[in-house]
Amino acid sequence: MLRFLVRRLLGAVITLLIISAVTFMLFYAVPRDPARIACGKLCTPETLELIRHNMGISDPMPVQFWHWLSGIFLGREYPGFGNCDAPCLGYSFVNREPVLATILDRFPTTFSLFLGSSVVFLVFGIGTGMLAALKQGKPTDKIASSASLVASSMQIYFVGTLALYVFVYQLQILDQPGYTPFSENPGAWFSGLLLPWLILALIFTANYTRMTRSQMVEQLQEDYVRTARAKGLSRPNVFFRFAWRGAMGPIVTIFGVDVGVLLGGGMITEKTFSIQGIGMLSLKSVVNNDLPMLLGVMVVTATFVVLANIVVDACYALIDPRIRLA
Amino acid sequence: MTPPTPSAAAPLEVTDESVEKSITSPANSGNESKSPGQLAWRRFKRDRTGVIAACIVIFFFVVALCAPLIANLYGKDPYTTYGLNTPGLLGDNGFPVKPNGGIDGEFWFGIEPQLGRDLFTFLLYGIRNSLLICTAITLLVVIVGVTIGVTAGYVGGKTDWFIGRVIDILLAFPSQLFFVAFTPVVLALFVSPEENTPTWLTVACLIGLLTVFGWASIARLLRGQVLALREREFVEAARVTGASPARIIFKELLPNLWTPILIQATLNLPAMVTTEAGLAYLGVGIQDPTPDWGVMIGQAAKVYQDDITFLLFPGVSMVIFVLAFNLLGDSVRDALDPKTKR
């Protein structure tokens, strides 16, 4: 297990290095004047000169990247702007703030969105999937399968907006979505995020229902299930004690992918419900041409995706002991 | 150990004859044999959901292709601001005077608030543009993915390792964020900030970026398939008889790969439609005066509190299209590969 983790973490570091290098090159080498872009819309010649100096535009590209990279471990000074302490992912000249500070400030919002919706879609998705597999071919199965198919064809920007119109503006049974820190007011935190959770879950559930159902159906035809039944174990007993273990592998995989997607900040979700998380931060940075911020968000998001993949692979071994980590 | 040539030639002739016989004899008895394609087509025709879904999908494509013709017969275009030109259509607050977003015999789907464009033709042209772009992306993604995947699987060794790492990195890339962040950068490369971006450039950029990030999963899937097929006897036989790698890939491997390729393509197109629309909704894809599904939903989302009909037409039509295409995809999979369960 330890060898596996070390190997995978090394691989992850290399992947992240490549991703950040590629992004860095694309952002700072492709545009004609990256300093002018990073300066933002309201830009005085003095600020522009200061940014040129801070970015080290005159240095060759690899040197610039090296400065950025060493900033992560050593921190970096931005004369005329401020200090950026040890894990320094860059400095946003538009916000006049270190990039990481802004991202950390927005992170609880995106994390709450992820946490609530994933609880809902995991419970409902796996639950309905199992139910459908148990009642294979019966009306329950057909309803669950077709409902999940319809739900998977929906898009947040349409269903979310429609739900806002119906539940918030017409019926007025739900609050206007928004984020209140959990530590401040748990009730407001819950009611403000309830609608985004449900809508996100509606769309994600479908995938889990279909996957759970097909996996369970497949598992139930395996020899070990027949053996267990022949031994005299009851059907629910076999179902809930043995068969689900075999079915969980692919579900953990898609959950790993979804964790990365959700933690990276669903830009569409956050825009639809006007929630100020990482997704809205990156959208705002695009509008302001805030390249250092975008680079930071990109690296943080990629880190989530890569880490989620490692956790998924480690979970495989926990669920199914037949899989050895190598 | 090489067998003597005459004895090797003799059985070959015999098998040739027996093959010919077996082809001709069942046909004579009226019990014709069917190719796998014909069998799949017969299975597909029996699947009622699949046929209905296929009809809906074909309907959307026909509407998209005939959009100029329909708009001509209907007598309007998606660019003219009828509401501003004709007084009385829009009220003082900029919203249609008539109920339900201004639906009447003149404007079938109502008119747009503020500008007063005709929504029926806007939706028609929007579907047309979305489907054209997404079909192009899907074709490119499939071609690139298949080429790279088959190459990686067949050549193996260092090439395979290198392509595998590229795929890993591409799949770990936060791609949606990257489109949003990088589209302006690419556009700034071709257009100076003062000029307006020409529409064709936005489209080309969109197609390019979505293709670059789309091929990886198809390539990974096909690589796996080729790895399994490469070791089979028929490929070995072809190699022994001296077939060139190109012949092995195109004549031996590719016919066995049509099923996964077709399935991936049918899964990819609706995903591309929603991605493309999502980008337009976020304001980085196709921009407003150009009709597009996502642009329309984005515009509608600004005024949905006062005019929900504007949102309903593009939204519902998109859900119907994606649902029909997903159902069609499932039926195609069932028809081509009846062993898989879902």
Side-chain angles (χ1 to χ4, degrees):
Chain A
M1 188 68 177
L2 193 70
R3 256 191 70 184
F4 162 80
L5 280 181
V6 170
R7 245 188 52 166
R8 287 301 303 268
L9 282 175
L10 271 179
V13 168
I14 292 169
T15 310
L16 288 176
L17 262 181
I18 293 173
I19 287 180
S20 51
V22 168
T23 319
F24 193 90
M25 295 292 159
L26 290 177
F27 278 0
Y28 292 113
V30 172
R32 288 180 196 145
D33 191 355
R36 177 68 193 81
I37 296 181
C39 186
K41 294 224 164 74
L42 303 164
C43 183
T44 58
E46 296 86 57
T47 330
L48 185 61
E49 204 43 53
L50 209 55
I51 291 173
R52 284 233 166 83
H53 174 68
N54 269 311
M55 284 167 73
I57 290 291
S58 48
D59 292 333
M61 191 52 59
V63 177
Q64 287 184 40
F65 180 61
W66 174 249
H67 283 314
W68 179 83
L69 200 62
S70 55
I72 298 180
F73 302 101
L74 303 172
R76 209 174 155 184
E77 288 260 339
Y78 287 92
F81 286 101
N83 233 344
C84 180
D85 290 334
C88 174
L89 287 175
Y91 192 90
S92 161
F93 302 111
V94 179
N95 289 359
R96 303 195 163 242
E97 211 182 2
V99 164
L100 195 65
T102 320
I103 296 178
L104 286 181
D105 187 46
R106 299 292 189 96
F107 183 69
T109 312
T110 298
F111 185 74
S112 306
L113 208 55
F114 151 75
L115 191 72
S117 58
S118 58
V119 166
V120 180
F121 69 66
L122 281 180
V123 168
F124 275 93
I126 297 178
T128 31
M130 289 213 166
L131 195 70
L134 252 178
K135 309 262 175 198
Q136 211 188 125
K138 300 219 174 89
T140 324
D141 174 28
K142 288 196 177 125
I143 291 170
S145 300
S146 26
S148 74
L149 199 67
V150 173
S152 69
S153 307
M154 306 261 186
Q155 289 82 45
I156 294 190
Y157 38 82
F158 171 57
V159 193
T161 318
L162 197 64
L164 273 176
Y165 177 77
V166 174
F167 295 115
V168 177
Y169 293 103
Q170 292 296 308
L171 302 176
Q172 302 189 333
I173 48 174
L174 287 174
D175 287 351
Q176 177 83 36
Y179 176 72
T180 327
F182 184 75
S183 49
E184 255 173 45
N185 185 348
W189 175 79
F190 184 81
S191 63
L193 290 174
L194 187 61
L195 190 65
W197 284 346
L198 291 178
I199 296 299
L200 256 181
L202 173 76
I203 286 155
F204 278 87
T205 300
N207 219 343
Y208 290 85
T209 306
R210 295 180 80 185
M211 190 60 99
T212 311
R213 183 186 173 278
S214 66
Q215 285 299 315
M216 284 305 277
V217 167
E218 209 163 283
Q219 288 295 321
L220 289 179
Q221 289 163 351
E222 292 274 332
D223 289 340
Y224 73 87
V225 170
R226 200 181 310 138
T227 315
R229 290 282 288 136
K231 254 171 48 179
L233 292 178
S234 70
R235 227 184 136 205
N237 208 339
V238 175
F239 205 84
F240 291 112
R241 276 179 59 188
F242 303 107
W244 73 270
R245 266 172 182 268
M248 280 303 119
I251 292 161
V252 171
T253 311
I254 54 173
F255 184 59
V257 174
D258 287 345
V259 171
V261 170
L262 285 168
L263 283 185
M267 279 178 282
I268 296 179
T269 320
E270 290 182 6
K271 185 178 169 164
T272 306
F273 296 107
S274 10
I275 289 172
Q276 301 294 325
I278 289 180
M280 279 303 262
L281 174 69
S282 33
L283 269 181
K284 212 183 89 198
S285 312
V286 170
V287 175
N288 293 336
N289 277 327
D290 192 350
L291 292 183
M293 181 68 78
L294 281 173
L295 179 63
V297 173
M298 196 89 87
V299 171
V300 170
T301 312
T303 313
F304 287 134
V305 176
V306 171
L307 285 183
N309 277 339
I310 298 180
V311 174
V312 161
D313 286 352
C315 283
Y316 270 164
L318 294 181
I319 294 172
D320 192 341
R322 286 172 302 180
I323 296 171
R324 287 238 193 93
L325 298 172
Chain B
M1 224 177 84
T2 19
T5 9
S7 66
L12 258 178
E13 270 170 54
V14 173
T15 41
D16 268 359
E17 264 175 8
S18 66
V19 166
E20 255 171 273
K21 264 179 208 155
S22 68
I23 288 173
T24 45
S25 56
N28 289 342
S29 61
N31 193 4
E32 54 184 308
S33 60
K34 288 195 165 63
S35 74
Q38 285 168 323
L39 283 174
W41 174 239
R42 217 171 65 171
R43 274 196 294 269
F44 179 75
K45 275 194 296 187
R46 274 203 216 115
D47 186 351
R48 199 184 298 158
T49 333
V51 172
I52 294 173
C55 290
I56 296 174
V57 168
I58 291 170
F59 170 76
F60 269 92
F61 274 96
V62 168
V63 163
L65 288 175
C66 302
L69 184 69
I70 299 173
N72 212 343
L73 292 174
Y74 174 69
K76 294 192 181 56
D77 67 82
Y79 302 102
T80 313
T81 51
Y82 296 98
L84 293 182
N85 300 349
T86 324
L89 284 173
L90 295 177
D92 291 335
N93 55 358
F95 285 95
V97 174
K98 293 195 177 172
N100 299 323
I103 296 180
D104 59 9
E106 186 76 11
F107 300 97
W108 293 356
F109 284 5
I111 50 175
E112 186 194 18
Q114 318 301 343
L115 288 177
R117 287 178 290 194
D118 174 56
L119 289 184
F120 178 65
T121 44
F122 201 84
L123 181 63
L124 277 188
Y125 275 83
I127 293 175
R128 176 186 167 89
N129 289 343
S130 292
L131 288 188
L132 284 178
I133 293 173
C134 295
T135 313
I137 298 172
T138 307
L139 282 178
L140 278 174
V141 161
V142 168
I143 291 171
V144 174
V146 168
T147 316
I148 296 182
V150 170
T151 314
Y154 185 74
V155 177
K158 282 208 179 89
T159 321
D160 183 26
W161 184 87
F162 180 72
I163 292 176
R165 295 294 78 70
V166 172
I167 292 176
D168 280 347
I169 289 170
L170 273 180
L171 290 181
F173 230 90
S175 52
Q176 192 191 38
L177 182 57
F178 191 82
F179 299 137
V180 172
F182 199 56
T183 314
V185 176
V186 172
L187 289 177
L189 189 66
F190 296 104
V191 196
S192 66
E194 294 82 37
E195 294 170 45
N196 274 331
T197 316
T199 307
W200 67 265
L201 191 64
T202 320
V203 172
C205 178
L206 200 65
I207 293 178
L209 281 178
L210 282 169
T211 308
V212 167
F213 282 93
W215 61 267
S217 52
I218 292 189
R220 171 171 283 182
L221 187 97
L222 279 173
R223 174 188 166 269
Q225 301 268 340
V226 170
L227 279 186
L229 284 176
R230 196 176 61 174
E231 308 302 327
R232 295 270 290 274
E233 288 83 353
F234 67 94
V235 176
E236 212 170 303
R239 206 175 294 147
V240 167
T241 53
S244 66
R247 199 202 135 84
I248 295 177
I249 288 176
F250 288 110
K251 297 273 176 179
E252 310 286 338
L253 292 177
L254 212 53
N256 288 292
L257 295 172
W258 277 120
T259 303
I261 292 174
L262 212 61
I263 290 171
Q264 285 304 310
T266 51
L267 288 175
N268 213 290
L269 196 117
M272 282 302 164
V273 169
T274 53
T275 312
E276 192 269 329
L279 288 180
Y281 173 79
L282 290 175
V284 289
I286 307 290
Q287 302 290 329
D288 177 35
T290 315
D292 177 275
W293 236 329
V295 168
M296 202 168 168
I297 295 178
Q299 292 289 324
K302 289 178 191 156
V303 293
Y304 72 94
Q305 292 166 34
D306 302 297
D307 186 2
I308 194 76
T309 37
F310 184 12
L311 179 73
L312 284 178
F313 282 112
V316 170
S317 62
M318 185 184 248
V319 170
I320 292 174
F321 175 77
V322 173
L323 179 61
F325 216 109
N326 284 339
L327 284 170
L328 176 68
D330 282 347
S331 301
V332 167
R333 181 170 16 180
D334 287 349
L336 287 174
D337 197 358
K339 280 170 293 182
T340 51
K341 295 172 292 278
R342 56 177 165 92

